[in-house]
Each structure stands twice: as structure tokens, then as C-alpha cells.
Amino acid sequence: MTKRAYFGTDGIRGEANRHPMTAEVALRVGMAAGKVFMSQDERRHLVVIGKDTRLSGYMIEPALVAGFASVGMDVRLLGPIPTPGVAMMTRSMRADLGVMISASHNTYSDNGIKLFGPDGFKLSDARELEIEALMDEGLQERLAAPDTLGRVARVDDAQARYVEIAKATFPRRLSLSGLRIVIDCANGAAYKVAPTALYELGAEVMRLGVEPNGFNINSECGSTHPEAMAKMVKEYRADIGIALDGDADRLVICDENGRVVDGDQIMALIAAHWAQRDRLTGGGVVATVMSNLGLERFLGGKGLKLERTAVGDRAVMMRMREGGFNLGGEQSGHVILSDFSTTGDGLLAALQVLAVLKEADKPMSALARQFEPVPQLLENVRFGGGKPLESENVKGAIALAERRLNGSGRLLVRASGTEPLIRIMAEGDDEKLIFEIVHELAGVVRQAAA
């Protein structure tokens, strides 16, 4: 595949005000993407832009607006809204393009730009490369005349519209009345919409991570720090805890005892429930190479298959569309319910879990752990430059590790698509062996990265 200059596995991402996450690059994205998505007809063209709560959003948003308006594209600003809300609003408003300004689960110092096509799906590699080709050349061509510049306006009811769409995915015959729910919004994009949706469906809601200040997104809260949610669940004797990440496209949950489970368990719970009711399509679930072997065994025991893809919810969604699956996701908590959404949606996935909880009439502790995970260890090695995975020492260590596993487990060593990290994951029934392999490999990679 052609080497990418800006786009990674999930849009453009980096440290705010440092290349490529600068106002200049955002301006170029707006101009280039606007040109790509503006056809030659005479109608007005439209882009919708949402964001999370990072301080740098105030820099990136106006730069994008200027870029789009300069090529004649009208802009509608949605304000803070979950990433899946941008995808939904892109389709709902018949926009040509949707943009989300967020670095997802990263700290406030990072930011990112994600693009959605008019169908609400993330852009293909080909589309992203087309935009990249225009970003570094030809930006002065096809600029709008003074009387055809794009117009900009805010959409005041964007959050309310997303809440109503989310509520409509919850079974009408059910209510959340009687449930005490802790919702941790990570001081991010869902800080208003998630508690509102749960309250309006009848729950008693205890809120956490709902006071964003531009700096505290994902800070000791949200899906990357679920201990805050678990503590609050136990303190308030809640029935369940739900923790979202900064742009609310992923979640983790905990039971009434504060025991946290990940996306694999959530997918297993929904899959089993839907399969019993003939709602599951495709004959199984789509997940990535990172999902636990225990999930694969659990599904196999129910006559269902697990199809694995490369890491990233875009890869998962692509396979879901190809194979007719309506459930997929990642161990990290991206859960895609294609009956309702075109991308991962933490709130929608939480509502499906809550529907199971209400119908089963059992405590969450009896439902949350659907299978016993196979011992799995993930270690990340940060590197400053170079290509550690091309080192002969690293290649040799990987080959040795695979021989030691001898078919009794899985090993995955890959470079992150969003951060300068080498991710090392191994799993298998022999926990001691798994730990030895990961720690030894991490040491070899660190030496190569030094």
C-alpha cells in the first residue's frame, strides 16, 4: 500500500500544535477534503464537524472551517458530541462529509481528525490517499469565488438528536426503571448525552467524568481508568458501571461488585443474547487479532464463529459489511452494532448490555463474565524513531518465541497505527510461558529501539 504522509489507522493524530496536528494541516485537510467531496453540480455542499472537549479543539475546528469554506463548502458545527454521533448526523443531515476532532482515549495533549463519508462510514484508504495527494499540492486551484464561499452555522440541537437516536435503539418494551447506573464519561464528548439518555430511559444515574475543562479528558477516568467507575459503583451500591472514552466510541463495564470486564466479554454477552433471539446475523462475530482466544472458544461452543481482522474498528466494520455480520468490535471496547450505527458506539453498546440485564433479571455479576479468558499479556514499547521491527535481533526473537509456543497459543507483534509504540501480545494456556515470552521480547525490542 502507498505510504501515508498524514493518515494512520484512525485518521490523523498527534500532539496538538506539533506536526501533523497543527492549524496549518487542519486547514489543508479542510481544503483538500472539501475539493474531493464537492462534485461538479450546482447544489450547495455540506460538511458537519463535531469534537470532544480538548483545549486544542478550539484551534483545530476554526482551521478546518476556514479550509472547507474557502473551497465553497457549507459547514455545520455540532459542538461536543460522540464520534458515532458525527457519523449519524452526517447521514441524517445528508452531508457530503463528516469530521470528528478527537484523539479518542489519548490524553488532552493529543488531538486528531477523523473523516466520514456521506454514508456515515469512515473513509477508505483510497479516499484518504486522494485527500493526501491534494494536501501538499494544488491547494490554490479551484478556490471559491468571493460570492460562493461556504457559509458556517451551529446546529443547536445536535446533542438532543443523538440522544433520541440512541434511546430508539433500546427495546421499547423495557425500561431502565429500578436500575442504579454509574456512568463515567471521561470528561469527554459524551459528558451531556450519555447521562441524559440513561436518565430519560428511567435509570437512577450517578455521573462521573462530566466536568470537562479542556485538560482532564481521559485523566484518571473513563474506559482507560475504570477503577474510578468501579469505586463509585461499590460506594453507591449501583447495579452496573459504564465507562466511556474521550470520544465515546468505546466502553468497558463493571458489575455491582466493581469487577471490570472488557470488550470481548461485552461482545460475548450481546452475541449470546442476540443468537438466542435469532437477531445475530453472519453466523458469528467479527473481532480483531487482539481478541482473547477464550472468546473464540466461547462462540464456537454455541455454534458461532469468530472472524478476525487487523486492528482497528474500520477493519472490523469492513469485514462486517462484506460478511453480513451485525456485531463486531475490539477487546479495547469498540463495539459495532451495524443494525444501529456505522462505527463503534459506547452508549449504544451499553444500552444493549442493559437490555440483557433487564430481561435476565439477574445481577450483573451473573452475566458480565461470559467466558474464562485465556491468559493474555500485552506490553507496549515506546520508541523515538527508526523501525525496531526490522531489526534482525527482533525478528530472531519473534521466531524463537513462536517455536516455544509450538501451536499452543498466539503471538502478535505490531507497530501501533496511532502512537510510536510496538505492541507485543501473547496468549495461551501456559500463563508462565506467556509472561516469559512477552517480557523477553519487550527487552529485545527496547534494545533495538534505543
Side-chain angles (χ1 to χ4, degrees):
M1 186 173 66
T2 305
K3 182 175 175 57
R4 292 157 169 262
Y6 297 99
F7 287 91
T9 57
D10 196 16
I12 303 172
R13 189 178 298 184
E15 185 179 1
N17 222 21
R18 300 289 184 271
H19 186 83
M21 198 40 55
T22 63
E24 179 188 1
V25 170
L27 175 71
R28 289 175 175 271
V29 170
M31 296 174 74
K35 289 179 179 180
V36 167
F37 279 85
M38 287 180 68
S39 58
Q40 301 303 311
D41 57 40
E42 297 301 316
R43 69 180 177 85
R44 300 297 298 181
H45 296 274
L46 178 67
V47 57
V48 298
I49 302 178
K51 62 181 180 179
D52 63 23
T53 57
R54 297 163 206 270
L55 177 64
S56 56
Y58 291 105
M59 172 187 71
I60 301 298
E61 183 184 63
L64 283 166
V65 169
F68 285 117
S70 72
V71 296
M73 187 172 256
D74 292 337
V75 182
R76 296 294 178 266
L77 301 175
L78 307 178
I81 191 171
T83 289
V86 172
M88 291 175 183
M89 293 294 284
T90 302
R91 291 194 301 174
S92 174
M93 297 181 66
R94 296 178 64 187
D96 299 278
L97 185 65
V99 183
M100 179 63 180
I101 305 168
S102 175
S104 190
H105 60 282
N106 291 19
T107 62
Y108 83 92
S109 57
D110 290 345
N111 216 329
I113 299 172
K114 304 179 186 182
L115 302 178
F116 295 89
D119 56 2
F121 290 95
K122 290 181 179 178
L123 299 189
S124 65
D125 291 334
R127 276 295 200 187
E128 289 180 347
L129 288 171
E130 192 177 351
I131 292 168
E132 281 201 357
L134 283 176
M135 285 174 63
D136 288 331
E137 58 184 56
L139 288 179
Q140 300 307 312
E141 300 173 3
R142 290 165 46 200
L143 291 178
D147 61 342
T148 58
L149 290 168
R151 295 179 179 272
V152 185
R154 294 197 174 275
V155 181
D156 294 328
D157 65 344
Q159 292 180 342
R161 291 172 70 167
Y162 174 72
V163 167
E164 291 305 315
I165 292 172
K167 285 164 54 183
T169 67
F170 189 73
R172 284 194 172 189
R173 66 184 182 282
L174 300 178
S175 164
L176 295 181
S177 177
L179 283 185
R180 293 166 61 86
I181 301 173
V182 168
I183 177 69
D184 182 350
C185 300
N187 291 312
Y191 78 100
K192 286 185 179 179
V193 295
T196 298
L198 294 173
Y199 174 79
E200 291 183 358
L201 286 169
E204 181 181 352
V205 181
M206 281 140 283
R207 308 173 186 216
L208 185 64
V210 292
E211 297 179 348
N213 60 17
F215 303 102
N216 59 3
I217 188 170
N218 300 313
S219 177
E220 303 303 321
C221 60
S223 62
T224 51
H225 299 280
E227 57 274 8
M229 163 194 66
K231 180 181 178 182
M232 193 172 187
V233 164
K234 289 188 286 187
E235 285 180 355
Y236 288 87
R237 297 182 180 179
D239 297 294
I240 186 175
I242 300 162
L244 308 173
D245 71 336
D247 68 336
D249 65 351
R250 70 169 74 181
L251 83 160
V252 298
I253 63 171
C254 75
D255 64 21
E256 74 277 9
N257 301 313
R259 190 179 190 186
V260 177
V261 299
D262 61 17
D264 283 348
Q265 298 285 358
I266 294 168
M267 286 188 286
L269 178 64
I270 297 173
H273 185 73
W274 281 12
Q276 286 178 348
R277 287 154 180 77
D278 293 323
R279 287 186 58 192
L280 191 69
T281 63
V285 176
V286 179
T288 76
V289 291
M290 299 299 289
S291 278
N292 194 277
L293 184 59
L295 173 62
E296 189 170 342
R297 292 173 177 174
F298 169 81
L299 293 172
K302 294 184 175 297
L304 303 171
K305 59 187 175 182
L306 178 68
E307 292 213 7
R308 295 185 184 269
T309 72
V311 172
D313 64 333
R314 187 174 64 166
V316 172
M317 187 72 244
M318 189 180 305
R319 180 65 195 116
M320 289 173 66
R321 295 176 77 181
E322 291 171 351
F325 297 86
N326 63 350
L327 174 60
E330 298 187 273
Q331 185 186 65
S332 59
H334 285 119
V335 178
I336 304 174
L337 310 168
S338 63
D339 290 345
F340 310 124
S341 183
T342 57
T343 188
D345 192 317
L347 178 57
L348 266 58
L351 290 175
Q352 291 305 307
V353 170
L354 291 168
V356 177
L357 181 60
K358 289 294 289 187
E359 289 194 347
D361 195 25
K362 296 178 180 179
M364 197 65 221
S365 56
L367 302 171
R369 201 172 178 89
Q370 291 284 300
F371 63 89
E372 193 62 36
V374 170
Q376 184 184 80
L377 183 64
L378 170 66
E379 188 165 340
N380 296 320
V381 178
R382 188 169 292 274
F383 65 100
K387 298 178 179 180
L389 295 185
E390 295 184 6
S391 162
E392 291 302 320
N393 287 342
V394 172
K395 291 179 181 178
I398 292 173
L400 176 60
E402 289 175 337
R403 287 197 297 271
R404 292 178 67 189
L405 281 172
N406 194 29
S408 65
R410 294 194 308 127
L411 174 67
L412 180 67
V413 184
R414 68 179 185 89
S416 169
T418 57
E419 300 175 82
L421 298 173
I422 301 298
R423 303 193 190 278
I424 304 165
M425 188 278 287
E427 66 177 353
D429 295 313
D430 187 339
E431 186 171 10
K432 182 180 177 182
L433 176 62
I434 294 303
F435 274 68
E436 287 178 359
I437 285 174
V438 170
H439 289 312
E440 290 171 10
L441 259 178
V444 176
V445 172
R446 284 193 185 92
Q447 286 183 342

